Amino acid sequence: MKRALTALVAVASVLALSACGGGSPSGSGAAPSETAGGGNLTRISVGVIPIVDTAPIWLGDSKGFFKEEGLDLDIQTATGGAAIVPGVVSGSFDFAFSNLISVMVAKDKGLDLKFVANGASTTGDKKKDIGAVVVPADSPIKSPKDLAGKKVSVNNLSNIGDTTISSVVEADGGDPKSVKFVEVAFPDAPAALENKQVDAAWILEPFLSSALEKGARVITYNFADFNPELDIAGYFTTGDTVANDPELVKKFTTAMNKSLEYAQDNPQEVRDIVGTYTKIDQATRDKMTLPRYRPDFNRDAANKLGEAAAKYGTLSKAPNLDELLP
């Protein structure tokens, strides 16, 4: 227990993606609940960050995909990843959403966690993706290698942003060790760029579309450039849950996979439902680039990500994907 608590403290500051808003975790764990029709459903709590990436679970809940599997879904929002992993470990959440590097870091620190469903992936389009490193229009920075020696903002240090950017810089012939990464929240990054507090900024949607409209120029769509099949985030639980309650895991995964496929096939419904759990206005939702939603993880891309995280010091060693992915 002491080791687990120490691990939680160690990983708390480096977990997951930035949120657009949220509440606090208060899940009750898997338990029977009675529906209005008198039938019994198993109530489960799922911790998510209220961003575009989590649209499929909200959409699947509204479409009844989880109820079809006998699950009563209690979606709990958290303001960021720092509350997500501890919530799963403590039992406040039965399942939760986080990016791949965050869970890799948690496992690297000794926590027994495993993904059970995919969440969001790069579009794979090197000319239009959900995240990019941008610079002012008049910047002398023209390609990823030019980021060497420059100050670049990311939302969290030692995470998926600086890991993929470092790899892209090195692949372009630059020195990744000389990039000066600084922590700036996505909503604040465009202003930091305009005020010359940073030379370049890594920004995700919906902030990316806004920055580009104001004249920012893309240097790299780092997810797609790193690997066009990269899965960015997914849904995970504890190793104990996977081992001791496989039926619950199977039900959740089945419903989640159906939700991912539905979201991919119905982008307008994705844009609409995002407006129900975020403050992103309709005009912005209509033009922002959406992630790719798919059930299967790409192991080659995940392996490359884990090796890069180890290479650049985010992990002590590359993760064992058999222990991490379904």
Side-chain angles (χ1 to χ4, degrees), residues 4-317:
L5 290 173
T6 301
L8 281 174
V9 173
V11 300
S13 64
V14 294
L15 296 173
L17 299 167
S18 174
C20 300
S24 59
S26 58
S28 58
S33 63
E34 193 168 302
T35 66
N40 284 329
L41 298 175
T42 300
R43 186 172 180 80
I44 61 168
S45 179
V46 183
V48 305
I49 307 169
I51 54 177
V52 178
D53 301 38
T54 59
I57 195 169
W58 300 86
L59 194 54
D61 188 34
S62 72
K63 294 295 177 181
F65 298 157
F66 290 88
K67 283 186 170 60
E68 289 174 6
E69 296 299 321
L71 300 178
D72 179 14
L73 196 59
D74 176 24
I75 301 175
Q76 294 287 330
T77 59
T79 55
I84 294 288
V85 169
V88 172
V89 173
S90 69
S92 294
F93 301 139
D94 299 299
F95 302 92
F97 173 93
S98 188
N99 77 54
L100 266 67
I101 288 284
S102 293
V103 176
M104 287 178 181
V105 168
K107 283 191 70 67
D108 197 49
K109 300 296 184 181
L111 300 182
D112 185 18
L113 304 173
K114 186 166 186 173
F115 284 105
V116 296
N118 206 341
S121 309
T122 170
T123 64
D125 188 344
K126 297 183 180 182
K127 295 183 179 179
K128 188 177 183 182
D129 201 9
I130 61 173
V133 177
V134 300
V135 297
D138 60 354
S139 171
I141 299 172
K142 304 298 182 184
S143 69
K145 66 182 178 182
D146 297 332
L147 295 172
K150 300 298 191 295
K151 188 180 290 186
V152 182
S153 72
V154 292
N155 71 313
N156 288 122
L157 297 175
S158 299
N159 212 284
I160 198 166
D162 48 16
T163 296
T164 52
I165 294 168
S166 293
S167 181
V168 170
V169 168
E170 185 170 17
D172 195 43
D175 178 11
K177 294 181 180 178
S178 70
V179 180
K180 303 168 185 174
F181 290 107
V182 296
E183 200 166 283
V184 180
F186 290 136
D188 302 324
L193 192 64
E194 290 176 15
N195 297 333
K196 302 188 183 303
Q197 294 172 283
V198 295
D199 301 301
W202 178 52
I203 310 176
L204 298 189
E205 290 286 22
F207 311 106
L208 176 58
S209 290
S210 178
L212 294 179
E213 279 193 349
K214 294 178 181 178
R217 176 165 51 84
V218 173
I219 296 301
T220 173
Y221 288 103
N222 52 297
F223 288 150
D225 284 340
F226 176 81
N227 190 303
E229 296 300 324
L230 182 67
D231 299 306
I232 299 162
Y235 293 84
F236 68 98
T237 188
T238 64
D240 282 346
T241 299
V242 172
N244 298 323
D245 204 343
E247 189 63 26
L248 178 68
V249 172
K250 181 181 178 181
K251 290 178 179 180
F252 177 80
T253 300
T254 298
M256 196 64 242
N257 287 348
K258 189 172 183 179
S259 301
L260 289 163
E261 291 174 336
Y262 188 88
Q264 181 65 23
D265 292 340
N266 296 275
Q268 187 55 53
E269 289 191 49
V270 169
R271 297 179 192 279
D272 291 342
I273 203 156
V274 167
T276 68
Y277 65 88
T278 76
K279 296 180 180 179
I280 303 173
D281 62 76
Q282 184 173 341
T284 302
R285 297 198 312 272
D286 286 345
K287 61 194 174 190
M288 66 186 178
T289 300
L290 299 179
R292 182 171 21 167
Y293 302 115
R294 61 184 182 191
D296 297 326
F297 285 95
N298 185 291
R299 286 192 167 236
D300 288 341
N303 184 63
K304 182 179 178 182
L305 182 65
E307 290 181 344
K311 180 177 182 178
Y312 301 122
T314 298
L315 301 175
S316 66
K317 61 182 183 299

